[in-house]
Amino acid sequence: MNRLYHVPLSPFCRKVRLTLAEKKIEVELVEERYWEPSPDFLRRNPAGKVPILKMGTRTMSESQAICEYLEEISPQVPLMPKDADGRYEVRRLCAWFDDKFQNEVTSKLLYERVNKKVTGQGYPDSKNVKQGSARIKYHLDYMAWLLDQRRWLAGNEMTLADFTAAAHLSCLDYISDVDWHRHAVLKDWYAKIKSRPSFRPLLADQISGFPPAAHYADLDF
Amino acid sequence: MNRLYHVPLSPFCRKVRLTLAEKKIEVELVEERYWEPSPDFLRRNPAGKVPILKMGTRTMSESQAICEYLEEISPQVPLMPKDADGRYEVRRLCAWFDDKFQNEVTSKLLYERVNKKVTGQGYPDSKNVKQGSARIKYHLDYMAWLLDQRRWLAGNEMTLADFTAAAHLSCLDYISDVDWHRHAVLKDWYAKIKSRPSFRPLLADQISGFPPAAHYADLDF
């Protein structure tokens, strides 16, 4: 049985969970307390991070590398376009969300509000929260600008770029940090992706001490 | 003419320069003062970072996405294996260097010693420099461990993982921050990659106010 070591509110773990579910690859989820790394955990992954995917004898880390691998071994529900230009755009946007959005928004909001408390590192730094709340607007505007020209973020097909973005936004939506009234086109995009069967397990996630926002699991939010 | 907007001592720019040179794609280099972003620069790249590659009408950012694109349009000097397992390992290691090594080492040494001064942000923070100097040893040991089992970092063929690692190490070598005596196997690996024609332009780089280490351009270091 395949096994994914993860934490529920990690955008990187969610990206892999969504990719596995879209490709109908069954996997057992194991919650990993990555902030208390055990020798066992570090043997599984020298980088000391989640997600880690065990498939047969392989132990894999790095969410983008894992998703590209899953795309290559299981291309039947394609999450990457066939042409080099299209694939470049998907990879550019994956890096945009996993690097730029992560540093400017996810780490400033989710990590301050949730991870710090869960891992016993104290209270949110209000300067960071303020910065994250300001920066997310710029990113939502950029996404709406893309979606004004395209059906999905990277083009006219749904790709890994959409799941990468949705992985980040769904974590922030859990703590009510996404203003869905800002752009109708963005809300429509999220409604489409949120109603996919692959999204259901994410909507059932519950973090002890952090109940989700009331609208979090609602498909008609 | 293709054009690459870059800064000389950026591992991400060097990774793209090496990939272009390996694939014999000619490019005009334009040094970009990214810390003084002009409206022109931000129009070229909304992420506000280098490298930016202009090819025909395309303007591309994100070094890994660019290199994967170059690999797809110009596969004749392959920098990626053919099989999914091999490609996963290359991508995992690229992420290792561009994310983990970058955060733990490059940003702690190069950014403190060089970028801060160049961009007028003052003196190095000795705590960061100390951390970077400690962490690089762990990474060099990990590389040597890989090279004890394989001819190149990701397997028995030279790949983008080697150029990604060499892009980081060459920047640190410019400021004498790599202990080549630590592992003979690692020094041999760097000697091989350093002697490639694609590496020559990097060895000729000169940063005003920061002369390179005496051995930096020496193939017999």
Side-chain angles (χ1 to χ4, degrees):
Chain A
M1 180 66 172
N2 304 317
R3 189 177 278 188
L4 184 71
Y5 297 89
H6 82 125
V7 292
L9 277 195
S10 151
F12 303 99
C13 296
R14 287 186 161 209
K15 172 177 178 166
V16 175
R17 286 166 75 191
L18 289 167
T19 303
L20 286 163
E22 285 291 328
K23 297 192 172 287
K24 302 197 176 19
I25 300 172
E26 286 195 29
V27 69
E28 180 193 356
L29 291 179
V30 181
E31 212 172 314
E32 185 76 77
R33 297 172 69 83
Y34 65 94
W35 58 95
E36 296 170 353
S38 63
D40 218 41
F41 174 57
L42 290 171
R43 198 176 56 240
R44 280 197 287 277
N45 177 14
K49 314 194 282 189
V50 284
I52 304 170
L53 179 61
K54 286 202 75 159
M55 288 185 92
T57 58
R58 298 192 67 86
T59 300
M60 293 185 280
S61 59
E62 295 298 342
S63 59
Q64 181 70 20
I66 292 173
C67 292
E68 295 246 15
Y69 175 79
L70 296 173
E71 176 69 14
E72 293 189 0
I73 62 163
S74 182
Q76 60 274 32
V77 182
L79 296 181
M80 292 284 270
K82 291 258 177 295
D83 61 306
D85 282 355
R87 296 159 73 84
Y88 157 74
E89 184 65 355
V90 171
R91 291 183 177 123
R92 178 185 78 81
L93 285 169
C94 289
W96 177 285
F97 288 100
D98 284 345
D99 182 16
K100 192 175 174 68
F101 189 91
Q102 161 69 16
N103 288 329
E104 296 180 358
V105 181
T106 310
S107 69
K108 301 276 160 96
L109 295 174
L110 186 72
Y111 289 16
E112 290 293 339
R113 291 199 213 271
V114 178
N115 299 40
K116 263 193 171 173
K117 191 173 168 196
V118 169
T119 62
Q121 290 178 77
Y123 293 97
D125 178 332
S126 62
K127 206 182 97 226
N128 281 340
V129 171
K130 212 172 149 186
Q131 275 182 3
S133 303
R135 288 304 286 172
I136 193 174
K137 292 178 189 163
Y138 164 82
H139 284 278
L140 297 182
D141 292 352
Y142 180 57
M143 293 175 76
W145 178 79
L146 290 174
L147 291 167
D148 276 336
Q149 306 164 60
R150 306 163 168 184
R151 287 184 56 215
W152 297 91
L153 286 175
N156 287 327
E157 304 296 330
M158 185 188 68
T159 68
L160 187 58
D162 298 290
F163 290 105
T164 303
H168 283 269
L169 287 183
S170 67
C171 290
L172 296 168
D173 194 37
Y174 187 98
I175 53 172
S176 247
D177 265 327
V178 185
D179 175 8
W180 296 116
H181 300 297
R182 196 169 172 88
H183 297 286
V185 69
L186 189 62
K187 190 180 174 185
D188 290 349
W189 165 85
Y190 192 61
K192 275 193 288 182
I193 209 156
K194 192 177 182 179
S195 64
R196 295 186 70 80
S198 66
F199 229 80
R200 260 179 236 148
L202 278 62
L203 299 179
D205 282 344
Q206 292 276 348
I207 318 303
S208 163
F210 290 94
H215 67 273
Y216 171 70
D218 193 347
L219 293 184
D220 192 19
F221 54 108
Chain B
M1 181 65 171
N2 304 317
R3 188 176 280 187
L4 183 72
Y5 297 89
H6 82 126
V7 292
L9 277 194
S10 151
F12 303 99
C13 296
R14 287 186 162 208
K15 171 177 179 165
V16 174
R17 286 166 75 191
L18 288 168
T19 302
L20 287 163
E22 285 291 328
K23 298 195 171 285
K24 300 196 177 19
I25 300 172
E26 286 196 28
V27 69
E28 181 192 357
L29 291 179
V30 181
E31 212 172 314
E32 186 76 75
R33 298 172 69 83
Y34 65 94
W35 58 94
E36 296 170 353
S38 63
D40 219 40
F41 173 57
L42 290 172
R43 199 176 53 242
R44 280 197 286 277
N45 177 16
K49 315 194 281 189
V50 284
I52 304 170
L53 179 61
K54 286 201 75 160
M55 288 185 92
T57 59
R58 297 191 68 85
T59 300
M60 293 185 280
S61 58
E62 296 296 345
S63 59
Q64 181 70 19
I66 292 172
C67 292
E68 295 245 18
Y69 176 79
L70 296 173
E71 175 69 14
E72 293 189 0
I73 62 163
S74 182
Q76 60 274 30
V77 182
L79 297 181
M80 291 285 269
K82 291 260 178 291
D83 62 306
D85 282 355
R87 296 159 74 83
Y88 158 74
E89 183 65 354
V90 172
R91 291 183 178 122
R92 179 186 76 82
L93 284 169
C94 289
W96 178 286
F97 288 101
D98 284 346
D99 182 17
K100 190 174 175 69
F101 189 91
Q102 161 69 16
N103 288 329
E104 296 180 358
V105 181
T106 309
S107 69
K108 302 276 159 97
L109 295 175
L110 185 72
Y111 289 15
E112 289 293 339
R113 290 200 214 272
V114 178
N115 299 41
K116 263 193 170 173
K117 191 173 169 196
V118 169
T119 61
Q121 291 178 76
Y123 293 98
D125 178 332
S126 62
K127 205 181 98 225
N128 281 340
V129 171
K130 212 171 147 186
Q131 276 182 4
S133 303
R135 288 303 287 171
I136 193 173
K137 291 178 190 163
Y138 164 81
H139 284 278
L140 298 181
D141 292 352
Y142 180 56
M143 293 175 76
W145 178 79
L146 290 174
L147 291 167
D148 277 336
Q149 306 164 61
R150 306 162 168 184
R151 288 185 53 217
W152 296 90
L153 286 175
N156 288 326
E157 304 296 329
M158 186 188 68
T159 68
L160 187 58
D162 298 290
F163 290 106
T164 303
H168 283 269
L169 287 183
S170 67
C171 290
L172 296 168
D173 194 37
Y174 186 98
I175 52 172
S176 248
D177 266 327
V178 185
D179 175 9
W180 295 115
H181 300 298
R182 197 168 172 87
H183 296 286
V185 69
L186 189 62
K187 191 180 174 183
D188 289 349
W189 166 85
Y190 192 62
K192 275 193 288 181
I193 209 157
K194 193 177 182 178
S195 64
R196 295 187 70 81
S198 66
F199 229 81
R200 260 179 237 148
L202 278 61
L203 299 179
D205 281 345
Q206 292 276 349
I207 317 303
S208 163
F210 290 93
H215 67 272
Y216 171 70
D218 193 346
L219 294 184
D220 193 18
F221 54 106

